[in-house]
Amino acid sequence: GIPFEAGGAKAFADAPEAGLLCDLVSSLADPDDAVRLVGVLRGGLFGLDDPALYRNRSHSGSFRFAGGPEEQGDPGVLTALRRLAALHAETRRLPAAAALERLLEETGLLALAAAGEGAGLSAGAILGALERIRRAAHGGAPFAEVARLLEREMDNPDAESSPLEPGRAAVV
């Protein structure tokens, strides 16, 4: 229960919200990767269980969101696929870095990271990674490149991060 402030390397890769974001972005960048899509559907953003995924598979036979999901299948899975289709459309409409910011807003991942333990270190790490990606992706990089940059951020043990509110008083 002691208030603390943390900073340093590897905070982005250690943030659970960063992993969810990376999986989502990679899935949106490659809508034909059904394995990654199922991981996103089972993960913290949608939380679908295996019976729902099986019901969907047995009704429609596929997991697709690009071009619109099937009209038959498990209602929860279909709702998630429609949501992913809308997010995918945003990645096609907006510049890549802006689409990434929009995903953070639409999913609430940044707010979730800011509300977590650690004085906003996860949110600060996500914002730091977003800034590095924004600088690297300037000039019209495609969304797939942003996905690759985000994956590199996850693998970068030297990426420095700081909390949302650095320099708070009365913390260790």
Side-chain angles (χ1 to χ4, degrees):
I2 298 172
F4 68 95
E5 179 174 288
K10 211 158 167 356
F12 180 72
D14 290 342
E17 300 84 5
L20 293 172
L21 177 65
C22 189
D23 290 342
L24 174 64
V25 167
S26 295
S27 183
L28 293 173
D30 184 6
D32 294 326
D33 186 345
V35 173
R36 188 171 301 260
L37 172 60
V38 169
V40 169
L41 293 172
R42 290 184 78 227
L45 287 174
F46 296 102
L48 295 167
D49 60 13
D50 289 336
L53 296 170
Y54 177 77
R55 280 190 304 276
N56 189 73
R57 178 75 179 179
S58 65
H59 283 96
S60 71
S62 68
F63 289 99
R64 295 188 45 82
F65 62 84
E70 304 284 337
E71 292 302 318
Q72 298 178 25
D74 181 81
V77 174
L78 292 175
T79 298
L81 291 174
R82 285 185 196 100
R83 183 72 191 118
L84 286 167
L87 293 173
H88 183 255
E90 291 283 304
T91 69
R92 300 293 187 238
R93 184 179 66 80
L94 296 171
L100 183 58
E101 290 179 32
R102 181 84 173 144
L103 289 175
L104 281 169
E105 181 182 314
E106 289 288 319
T107 60
L109 284 172
L110 187 57
L112 180 64
E117 290 186 25
L121 181 60
S122 293
I126 290 171
L127 289 174
L130 179 62
E131 182 56 33
R132 289 187 293 276
I133 289 168
R134 191 181 297 124
R135 283 192 307 262
H138 77 289
F143 191 74
E145 178 62 21
V146 167
R148 284 189 289 278
L149 291 169
L150 194 59
E151 286 176 355
R152 273 189 241 139
E153 282 288 322
M154 289 295 289
D155 294 334
N156 184 359
D158 299 324
E160 289 290 322
S161 298
S162 60
L164 277 179
E165 301 178 49
R168 295 181 321 150
V171 297
V172 175

